[in-house]
Structure formats: C-alpha cells, structure tokens
Amino acid sequence: MGMTRLVMAVDPAVGVEPAALAKAWDGDEEAAALGGASTGAPAPGTFLPGLAELIWVPLAVNLASSVVYDLIRRLVAQQRPAVDVTELELTETVSGDDRVVVVRVRRSIG
C-alpha cells in the first residue's frame, strides 16, 4: 500500500491562512507524527475561488476521516479561537492517492 497524501484547502472565510495552519500542523506533536505539512499553489482552474494555497501532508498511515477532521478542527481553533468549530464544514474527496479535505464555514440556510 502506497503513501496517502492529505490535501487541505481552507476557504479564506475561515480566517486562517494555510501557511499558519501548516505551521500549526508541524508544531502539533500528534499531527507532526502523521507527516510534515507544506504549502503550495493549487493547479489552474482551482475549485475554491479566492484560494491561494493548499496544504499538503504525506500521511504515513491511513486514518479514519473522523480523526483527520477532529485534528483539523482543533488546529483551526488554535489559530483562530473566535471560530466556532461546530460551524466548520469539512468535505472530503478521494482522488487517486490524495485525500482532499475542503474546510469551509457552514452557511446558514434562510
């Protein structure tokens, strides 16, 4: 089984810069043990308007989505304590060896 890459796209409305989240990932003992984070530009024709960077983490192990989501929510909350993590919407898509997680603020209906 090959290595899986976690790709995180953070909507600018979340209020957390991808570089800051990548730094928080590397500074967190639990997250860093899974793989080091780096940032890079998305490919042309990005799927998230206003997105300037993606976060890339080569995962040494396959993790349940709930574990990944909890970790991302915790790290976002550390970077922006005012954000209510229950308002974060995380959506995952698998593409080849990549697990792409988009982090957005849940929009209220109405």
Side-chain angles (χ1 to χ4, degrees):
M1 181 178 189
M3 185 172 288
T4 300
R5 184 170 61 169
L6 173 63
V7 181
M8 288 180 276
V10 182
D11 186 326
V14 172
V16 175
E17 292 294 322
L21 188 55
K23 185 176 179 180
W25 181 282
D26 287 340
D28 183 272
E29 189 175 319
E30 180 184 358
L34 301 173
S38 61
T39 58
T46 183
F47 54 92
L48 194 59
L51 184 68
E53 290 181 294
L54 296 173
I55 302 164
W56 311 89
V57 180
L59 295 175
V61 295
N62 193 10
L63 298 173
S65 294
S66 60
V67 173
V68 172
Y69 296 175
D70 289 346
L71 184 56
I72 293 170
R73 282 187 176 101
R74 180 168 53 84
L75 294 174
V76 167
Q78 287 174 0
Q79 296 304 300
R80 187 158 180 248
V83 73
D84 181 352
V85 294
T86 63
E87 293 300 313
L88 291 179
E89 176 181 85
L90 281 73
T91 309
E92 183 174 356
T93 303
V94 177
S95 175
D97 289 335
D98 290 344
R99 293 175 65 180
V100 181
V101 177
V102 178
V103 182
R104 293 183 174 174
V105 175
R106 189 179 319 273
R107 303 211 191 302
S108 60
I109 299 173

